[in-house]
Amino acid sequence: MHSSTVRHARRMPAIGAIVALAAGTLVAVAPAAHAAAGATLPFTSVEAESASTTGTRIGPDYTQGTLASEASGRQAVRLGSGQRVEFTVPRASNAVNIAYSVPDGQSGSLNVYVNGTRIARTIPVTSKYSYVDTGWIAGARTHHFYDNARLLLGQNVQAGDKVAVESTGTQVTVDVADFEQVGAAATQPAGSVSVVSKGADPGGNGDSTQAFRDAIAAAQGGTVWIPPGDYRLTSSLSGVQNVTLQGAGSWYSVVHTSRFIDQSSSSGNVHIKDFAVIGEVTERVDSSPDNFVNGSLGANSSVSGMWIQHLKCGLWLTGTNDNLVVEDNRILDTTADGLNLNGTAKGVRVRNNFLRNQGDDSLAMWSLYAPDTDSSFENNTISQPNLANGIAIYGGTDIAVRNNLVSDTNALGSGIAISNQKFMDPFSPLAGTITVDGNTLVRTGAVNPNWNHPMGALRVDSYDSAINATVNITNTTITDSPYSAFEFVSGGGQGNPVRNVNVTGATVKNTGTVVVQAETQGSAAFRNVTATGVGAAGVYNCPYPAGSFSLTDGGGNSGWSSTWSDCSSWPQPGQSNPEPDPNRNLAKGRPATATGSQDVYTPGKADDGDANTYWESANNAFPQSWTVDLGSSYGVRRVVLKLPPSSAWGARTQTVAVLGSTNGSTYSTVAGAQGYRFDPATGNTATVTLPAGTSLRYLRLTVTANTAWPAAQFSEVEAYQTS
């Protein structure tokens, strides 16, 4: 999914699991006492930049629109004619898949060498499926630079052997190689109906569409068998229900079509497994159903062991798909989403899949028309979504995102997004409990060109409405995020609050800017969140357009206690926290609380920078207190109290005491209770001078009387280090 909304840009843009990269192999290392993140895969990936080469290494680079920024690890190897990259084989294998890019409009091939000897087979490379333009998506640029090509080597290689690929003419940028031991082709199940028996052409010359339809009709309640071969379908299948479609394995049985199943309903019990569907989609046309599955498979269906490539979407699921299981699949090189549960999904499990090079969200749930409920994304490995998020949850009830490994998101995307962005109506916002547990995010988050500032590795976004669901984020590992780790934002610029968020048990390593990026009002509690290698500061807390975001320290947190001091600028990766202007108002925009509020006159109105809005306490209930968290301890020497300057506000005296605290729990009196006169004739302001040596993080005003109204009232509270 994507947004065409251009968010109000109030800041200047930034420029620009523990995960082990050993011998070029990306391996997820589970946090202690927690399941490993990501899928259990039949292959092992080796990064080209870690291999020996006569070519040129490019990257790392996180700049939208560059070849390196879309690469796995943000690095790759560029080969000119005759240049090669040689991989050390990590496991017993007889097949390899290469992720690569060639210049737009070009094609060619890669020679393949095993232990120095060239084999007869070559790997074709082409730009046909790359360089996608989606000008209607705000912030998009030409993207989707890479493609994947696979080859059975025709021989077995062992761990430690050498496999090299060599450019034969055109320039080829090699990103990563996947080494796999492909088993023998499966044999036909007893009692199944072969598509060949109905006239399908395994040589790929004839149109096999009708043969597939006839086999499906003949096998109701049974199995359609797709023998090894290449089959060409010229139109989509429909009426698919109560049947199993089974191939000999995804390296052997290959269906060539850009629209495999397209149906709005099904009675269900559809099981699709163990073959490949490879399309010819070269652009993204959202009005066309150029998908592996478009619509409904019906209840109690499954998709497993599939290789899905060169389509717009892998699965765009609407209608009834209750209790669907999607597992053990590879979804590569789609121009839009890998999988999208487009409303009404119940009990769907998407698990142990591998997704690479999506042109939109790799995995998404979008609660359009009716909520997705009790559904989950679990133990998936996602790499290089190049125009959106790795995983996105747009609304829904009781959703889980567990034990996924997401790496290398690009423009407009976080590793994981939990969002109330609706795109269109009717939409069902987040409700119940949203569980985000055990996920590992590597090099995720990017600059959003529509916002002119970064998106975090894990984003909670009250885009179109407040988040009132309980969001539990637990056992998270965030490594090498180019910008922030956790972001709380109202992406539509409306300032909708984010509430009820609990972040427990997170490890953050080498984040480019901050650990927490709070840009809207609301609150979140943090427990046992540890950070090392923080680029700029622990917290950026600058809600827009007003209000405050409260961070509750539940204990066990370390390494991110500092706060970015200047809300007028965005921290850049690795930038140190600037020295604050000694004349700046320390309280402006900071999280504020109160013992009570009247109607819409909430605590954040007293430090939002607008003297025409105000906080009013509960009426007839003195004493009343208002408290602001300045983020760090400061030597505060002067507090300026304001009421709206309008002459409609008559003169009055409020009795105010000033208290301070460094920890938010123990307060001491800084300035005793005294009457302060507010008069519109002199600006409706009063100044409290604090003693030299005063140091506080939490500033509290306790009001015991007001001569004009039975409540405490402040339109602005300003705190300064200068007297």
Side-chain angles (χ1 to χ4, degrees), residues 195-208:
V195 294
V196 173
S197 73
K198 296 298 182 180
D201 177 9
N205 297 310
D207 182 356
S208 295

Side-chain angles (χ1 to χ4, degrees), residues 278-350:
I278 299 177
E280 287 294 318
V281 175
T282 60
E283 297 292 342
R284 174 174 173 171
V285 181
D286 283 353
S287 59
S288 297
D290 298 331
N291 310 325
F292 163 60
V293 175
N294 189 72
S296 170
L297 293 176
N300 304 311
S301 295
S302 65
V303 178
S304 62
M306 297 295 295
W307 182 298
I308 299 165
Q309 187 176 13
H310 293 157
L311 297 159
K312 183 182 70 176
C313 295
L315 297 91
W316 185 268
L317 297 167
T318 62
T320 300
N321 292 285
D322 296 358
N323 304 316
L324 171 70
V325 175
V326 180
E327 62 185 352
D328 304 329
N329 303 290
R330 271 174 270 201
I331 304 177
L332 309 174
D333 306 326
T334 59
T335 60
D337 299 39
L339 177 146
N340 191 306
L341 298 178
N342 192 199
T344 73
K346 297 179 178 66
V348 174
R349 301 289 176 258
V350 179

Side-chain angles (χ1 to χ4, degrees), residues 654-684:
Q654 297 191 74
T655 303
V656 182
V658 180
L659 295 87
S661 172
T662 58
N663 59 16
S665 58
T666 303
Y667 285 81
S668 58
T669 299
V670 177
Q674 181 178 328
Y676 293 92
R677 182 70 173 171
F678 297 84
D679 190 334
T682 56
N684 247 354

Side-chain angles (χ1 to χ4, degrees), residues 76-142:
V77 172
R78 179 177 292 131
L79 303 178
S81 181
Q83 292 182 322
R84 66 174 63 181
V85 56
E86 184 176 70
F87 299 93
T88 299
V89 177
R91 57 182 291 170
S93 307
N94 61 4
V96 66
N97 176 77
I98 299 291
Y100 70 91
S101 177
V102 297
D104 196 8
Q106 297 186 26
S107 61
S109 63
L110 292 169
N111 289 330
V112 180
Y113 295 80
V114 176
N115 293 324
T117 301
R118 179 180 166 185
I119 67 175
R121 302 175 182 183
T122 62
I123 299 176
V125 293
T126 179
S127 65
K128 179 179 180 179
Y129 308 102
S130 305
Y131 300 94
V132 173
D133 290 299
T134 51
W136 66 93
I137 300 177
R141 299 179 183 175
T142 300

Side-chain angles (χ1 to χ4, degrees), residues 551-575:
L551 282 75
T552 299
D553 184 350
N557 301 307
S558 65
W560 55 284
S561 60
S562 63
T563 299
W564 182 252
S565 60
D566 183 8
C567 283
S568 67
S569 67
W570 282 99
Q572 298 180 13
Q575 178 184 2

